PDB file of all heavy atoms in Angstrom:
ATOM      1  N   ALA A   3       2.195   5.090   0.638  1.00 50.00           N
ATOM      2  CA  ALA A   3       2.125   5.994   1.781  1.00 50.00           C
ATOM      3  C   ALA A   3       0.958   6.952   1.622  1.00 50.00           C
ATOM      4  O   ALA A   3       0.725   7.486   0.553  1.00 50.00           O
ATOM      5  CB  ALA A   3       3.436   6.774   1.911  1.00 50.00           C
ATOM      6  N   GLY A   4       0.216   7.133   2.700  1.00 52.00           N
ATOM      7  CA  GLY A   4      -0.894   8.074   2.673  1.00 52.00           C
ATOM      8  C   GLY A   4      -2.191   7.487   2.154  1.00 52.00           C
ATOM      9  O   GLY A   4      -3.205   8.146   2.144  1.00 52.00           O
ATOM     10  N   ALA A   7      -6.595   3.968   5.293  1.00 64.00           N
ATOM     11  CA  ALA A   7      -7.833   4.593   5.779  1.00 64.00           C
ATOM     12  C   ALA A   7      -7.561   5.195   7.151  1.00 64.00           C
ATOM     13  O   ALA A   7      -6.853   4.606   7.965  1.00 64.00           O
ATOM     14  CB  ALA A   7      -8.943   3.553   5.863  1.00 64.00           C
ATOM     15  N   THR A   8      -8.087   6.363   7.396  1.00 70.00           N
ATOM     16  CA  THR A   8      -7.916   6.981   8.703  1.00 70.00           C
ATOM     17  C   THR A   8      -9.249   7.013   9.414  1.00 70.00           C
ATOM     18  O   THR A   8     -10.287   7.246   8.813  1.00 70.00           O
ATOM     19  CB  THR A   8      -7.375   8.420   8.585  1.00 70.00           C
ATOM     20  OG1 THR A   8      -8.269   9.168   7.779  1.00 70.00           O
ATOM     21  CG2 THR A   8      -5.990   8.445   7.984  1.00 70.00           C
ATOM     22  N   THR A   9      -9.211   6.754  10.695  1.00 75.00           N
ATOM     23  CA  THR A   9     -10.410   6.818  11.513  1.00 75.00           C
ATOM     24  C   THR A   9     -10.523   8.226  12.064  1.00 75.00           C
ATOM     25  O   THR A   9      -9.575   8.749  12.638  1.00 75.00           O
ATOM     26  CB  THR A   9     -10.304   5.818  12.685  1.00 75.00           C
ATOM     27  OG1 THR A   9     -10.082   4.520  12.139  1.00 75.00           O
ATOM     28  CG2 THR A   9     -11.558   5.829  13.518  1.00 75.00           C
ATOM     29  N   ILE A  12     -13.472  11.662  17.116  1.00 76.00           N
ATOM     30  CA  ILE A  12     -14.803  12.164  17.466  1.00 76.00           C
ATOM     31  C   ILE A  12     -14.651  13.076  18.667  1.00 76.00           C
ATOM     32  O   ILE A  12     -14.172  12.665  19.725  1.00 76.00           O
ATOM     33  CB  ILE A  12     -15.778  11.021  17.757  1.00 76.00           C
ATOM     34  CG1 ILE A  12     -15.925  10.157  16.506  1.00 76.00           C
ATOM     35  CG2 ILE A  12     -17.123  11.567  18.221  1.00 76.00           C
ATOM     36  CD1 ILE A  12     -16.776   8.944  16.667  1.00 76.00           C
ATOM     37  N   ALA A  17     -23.926  16.899  27.131  1.00 45.00           N
ATOM     38  CA  ALA A  17     -24.777  18.073  26.987  1.00 45.00           C
ATOM     39  C   ALA A  17     -24.868  18.854  28.280  1.00 45.00           C
ATOM     40  O   ALA A  17     -24.992  20.061  28.277  1.00 45.00           O
ATOM     41  CB  ALA A  17     -26.176  17.656  26.519  1.00 45.00           C
ATOM     42  N   GLY A  22     -32.716  17.913  27.360  1.00 58.00           N
ATOM     43  CA  GLY A  22     -33.214  18.737  26.270  1.00 58.00           C
ATOM     44  C   GLY A  22     -32.458  20.046  26.104  1.00 58.00           C
ATOM     45  O   GLY A  22     -32.604  20.723  25.116  1.00 58.00           O
ATOM     46  N   GLU A  23     -31.635  20.402  27.080  1.00 66.00           N
ATOM     47  CA  GLU A  23     -30.851  21.638  26.992  1.00 66.00           C
ATOM     48  C   GLU A  23     -29.654  21.391  26.085  1.00 66.00           C
ATOM     49  O   GLU A  23     -28.985  20.375  26.190  1.00 66.00           O
ATOM     50  CB  GLU A  23     -30.364  22.050  28.385  1.00 66.00           C
ATOM     51  CG  GLU A  23     -29.541  23.304  28.393  1.00 66.00           C
ATOM     52  CD  GLU A  23     -29.019  23.646  29.782  1.00 66.00           C
ATOM     53  OE1 GLU A  23     -29.460  23.040  30.747  1.00 66.00           O
ATOM     54  OE2 GLU A  23     -28.146  24.514  29.863  1.00 66.00           O
ATOM     55  N   PRO A  27     -20.069  21.832  22.995  1.00 82.00           N
ATOM     56  CA  PRO A  27     -18.879  21.407  23.734  1.00 82.00           C
ATOM     57  C   PRO A  27     -17.674  22.322  23.525  1.00 82.00           C
ATOM     58  O   PRO A  27     -16.779  22.342  24.359  1.00 82.00           O
ATOM     59  CB  PRO A  27     -18.612  20.010  23.194  1.00 82.00           C
ATOM     60  CG  PRO A  27     -19.278  19.959  21.878  1.00 82.00           C
ATOM     61  CD  PRO A  27     -20.440  20.898  21.950  1.00 82.00           C
ATOM     62  N   PRO A  30     -16.664  28.399  18.912  1.00 85.00           N
ATOM     63  CA  PRO A  30     -16.160  28.390  17.534  1.00 85.00           C
ATOM     64  C   PRO A  30     -14.652  28.607  17.466  1.00 85.00           C
ATOM     65  O   PRO A  30     -13.962  27.987  16.659  1.00 85.00           O
ATOM     66  CB  PRO A  30     -16.922  29.541  16.871  1.00 85.00           C
ATOM     67  CG  PRO A  30     -18.187  29.651  17.650  1.00 85.00           C
ATOM     68  CD  PRO A  30     -17.799  29.316  19.070  1.00 85.00           C
ATOM     69  N   ILE A  36      -8.702  23.520  17.343  1.00 88.00           N
ATOM     70  CA  ILE A  36      -8.583  22.069  17.274  1.00 88.00           C
ATOM     71  C   ILE A  36      -8.402  21.621  15.826  1.00 88.00           C
ATOM     72  O   ILE A  36      -7.519  20.818  15.513  1.00 88.00           O
ATOM     73  CB  ILE A  36      -9.827  21.393  17.893  1.00 88.00           C
ATOM     74  CG1 ILE A  36      -9.859  21.650  19.406  1.00 88.00           C
ATOM     75  CG2 ILE A  36      -9.836  19.893  17.604  1.00 88.00           C
ATOM     76  CD1 ILE A  36     -11.180  21.285  20.057  1.00 88.00           C
ATOM     77  N   GLN A  41      -4.196  16.251  12.528  1.00 89.00           N
ATOM     78  CA  GLN A  41      -3.528  15.663  11.377  1.00 89.00           C
ATOM     79  C   GLN A  41      -4.395  14.570  10.750  1.00 89.00           C
ATOM     80  O   GLN A  41      -3.928  13.822   9.904  1.00 89.00           O
ATOM     81  CB  GLN A  41      -2.177  15.069  11.800  1.00 89.00           C
ATOM     82  CG  GLN A  41      -1.203  16.095  12.340  1.00 89.00           C
ATOM     83  CD  GLN A  41      -0.829  17.112  11.287  1.00 89.00           C
ATOM     84  OE1 GLN A  41      -0.488  16.756  10.167  1.00 89.00           O
ATOM     85  NE2 GLN A  41      -0.897  18.381  11.633  1.00 89.00           N
ATOM     86  N   PRO A  43      -8.942  13.404  10.001  1.00 86.00           N
ATOM     87  CA  PRO A  43     -10.316  13.912  10.008  1.00 86.00           C
ATOM     88  C   PRO A  43     -10.900  13.921  11.419  1.00 86.00           C
ATOM     89  O   PRO A  43     -10.491  13.145  12.282  1.00 86.00           O
ATOM     90  CB  PRO A  43     -11.077  12.901   9.135  1.00 86.00           C
ATOM     91  CG  PRO A  43     -10.035  12.207   8.342  1.00 86.00           C
ATOM     92  CD  PRO A  43      -8.796  12.210   9.175  1.00 86.00           C
ATOM     93  N   ILE A  45     -14.768  14.560  13.743  1.00 85.00           N
ATOM     94  CA  ILE A  45     -16.215  14.726  13.784  1.00 85.00           C
ATOM     95  C   ILE A  45     -16.530  15.516  15.045  1.00 85.00           C
ATOM     96  O   ILE A  45     -16.171  15.105  16.149  1.00 85.00           O
ATOM     97  CB  ILE A  45     -16.939  13.366  13.820  1.00 85.00           C
ATOM     98  CG1 ILE A  45     -16.624  12.568  12.559  1.00 85.00           C
ATOM     99  CG2 ILE A  45     -18.443  13.574  13.998  1.00 85.00           C
ATOM    100  CD1 ILE A  45     -17.092  11.135  12.605  1.00 85.00           C
ATOM    101  N   VAL A  50     -24.075  22.005  15.757  1.00 84.00           N
ATOM    102  CA  VAL A  50     -24.874  22.746  14.777  1.00 84.00           C
ATOM    103  C   VAL A  50     -26.367  22.782  15.096  1.00 84.00           C
ATOM    104  O   VAL A  50     -27.165  23.173  14.251  1.00 84.00           O
ATOM    105  CB  VAL A  50     -24.661  22.195  13.352  1.00 84.00           C
ATOM    106  CG1 VAL A  50     -23.206  22.316  12.934  1.00 84.00           C
ATOM    107  CG2 VAL A  50     -25.145  20.774  13.223  1.00 84.00           C
ATOM    108  N   ASP A  52     -28.144  24.793  16.578  1.00 87.00           N
ATOM    109  CA  ASP A  52     -28.762  26.118  16.502  1.00 87.00           C
ATOM    110  C   ASP A  52     -28.525  26.809  15.151  1.00 87.00           C
ATOM    111  O   ASP A  52     -28.846  27.974  14.993  1.00 87.00           O
ATOM    112  CB  ASP A  52     -28.271  27.007  17.635  1.00 87.00           C
ATOM    113  CG  ASP A  52     -26.771  27.231  17.612  1.00 87.00           C
ATOM    114  OD1 ASP A  52     -26.046  26.486  16.915  1.00 87.00           O
ATOM    115  OD2 ASP A  52     -26.307  28.145  18.313  1.00 87.00           O
ATOM    116  N   PRO A  54     -29.358  28.085  11.625  1.00 91.00           N
ATOM    117  CA  PRO A  54     -30.603  28.324  10.883  1.00 91.00           C
ATOM    118  C   PRO A  54     -30.756  27.413   9.665  1.00 91.00           C
ATOM    119  O   PRO A  54     -31.870  27.012   9.335  1.00 91.00           O
ATOM    120  CB  PRO A  54     -30.490  29.787  10.455  1.00 91.00           C
ATOM    121  CG  PRO A  54     -29.538  30.401  11.414  1.00 91.00           C
ATOM    122  CD  PRO A  54     -28.569  29.300  11.785  1.00 91.00           C
ATOM    123  N   ARG A  56     -30.390  24.393   9.297  1.00 91.00           N
ATOM    124  CA  ARG A  56     -31.010  23.106   9.606  1.00 91.00           C
ATOM    125  C   ARG A  56     -32.501  23.111   9.299  1.00 91.00           C
ATOM    126  O   ARG A  56     -33.114  22.068   9.144  1.00 91.00           O
ATOM    127  CB  ARG A  56     -30.804  22.754  11.077  1.00 91.00           C
ATOM    128  CG  ARG A  56     -29.364  22.421  11.400  1.00 91.00           C
ATOM    129  CD  ARG A  56     -29.221  21.856  12.792  1.00 91.00           C
ATOM    130  NE  ARG A  56     -29.921  20.587  12.870  1.00 91.00           N
ATOM    131  CZ  ARG A  56     -30.711  20.241  13.878  1.00 91.00           C
ATOM    132  NH1 ARG A  56     -30.895  21.050  14.896  1.00 91.00           N
ATOM    133  NH2 ARG A  56     -31.315  19.075  13.888  1.00 91.00           N
ATOM    134  N   ALA A  60     -37.154  23.603   0.563  1.00 84.00           N
ATOM    135  CA  ALA A  60     -37.250  24.105  -0.811  1.00 84.00           C
ATOM    136  C   ALA A  60     -38.095  25.379  -0.883  1.00 84.00           C
ATOM    137  O   ALA A  60     -37.745  26.323  -1.599  1.00 84.00           O
ATOM    138  CB  ALA A  60     -37.811  23.031  -1.720  1.00 84.00           C
ATOM    139  N   VAL A  66     -36.351  33.053  -0.629  1.00 92.00           N
ATOM    140  CA  VAL A  66     -35.133  33.838  -0.388  1.00 92.00           C
ATOM    141  C   VAL A  66     -34.404  34.151  -1.694  1.00 92.00           C
ATOM    142  O   VAL A  66     -33.871  35.250  -1.873  1.00 92.00           O
ATOM    143  CB  VAL A  66     -34.185  33.086   0.576  1.00 92.00           C
ATOM    144  CG1 VAL A  66     -32.827  33.749   0.670  1.00 92.00           C
ATOM    145  CG2 VAL A  66     -34.806  33.001   1.960  1.00 92.00           C
ATOM    146  N   LYS A  70     -34.319  32.693  -8.573  1.00 90.00           N
ATOM    147  CA  LYS A  70     -33.026  32.392  -9.193  1.00 90.00           C
ATOM    148  C   LYS A  70     -32.850  30.870  -9.237  1.00 90.00           C
ATOM    149  O   LYS A  70     -33.094  30.185  -8.258  1.00 90.00           O
ATOM    150  CB  LYS A  70     -31.888  33.013  -8.382  1.00 90.00           C
ATOM    151  CG  LYS A  70     -30.528  32.760  -8.985  1.00 90.00           C
ATOM    152  CD  LYS A  70     -29.442  33.456  -8.206  1.00 90.00           C
ATOM    153  CE  LYS A  70     -28.099  33.177  -8.835  1.00 90.00           C
ATOM    154  NZ  LYS A  70     -27.010  33.811  -8.093  1.00 90.00           N
ATOM    155  N   SER A  80     -27.936   7.641  -5.550  1.00 77.00           N
ATOM    156  CA  SER A  80     -28.511   6.492  -6.259  1.00 77.00           C
ATOM    157  C   SER A  80     -30.014   6.663  -6.396  1.00 77.00           C
ATOM    158  O   SER A  80     -30.659   6.054  -7.171  1.00 77.00           O
ATOM    159  CB  SER A  80     -28.205   5.192  -5.523  1.00 77.00           C
ATOM    160  OG  SER A  80     -28.751   5.209  -4.231  1.00 77.00           O
TER     161      SER A  80
END
Side-chain angles (χ1 to χ4, degrees):
T8 57
T9 303
I12 299 176
E23 180 183 349
I36 292 168
Q41 298 297 312
I45 298 170
V50 299
D52 61 344
R56 290 190 65 225
V66 170
K70 181 177 180 181
S80 61

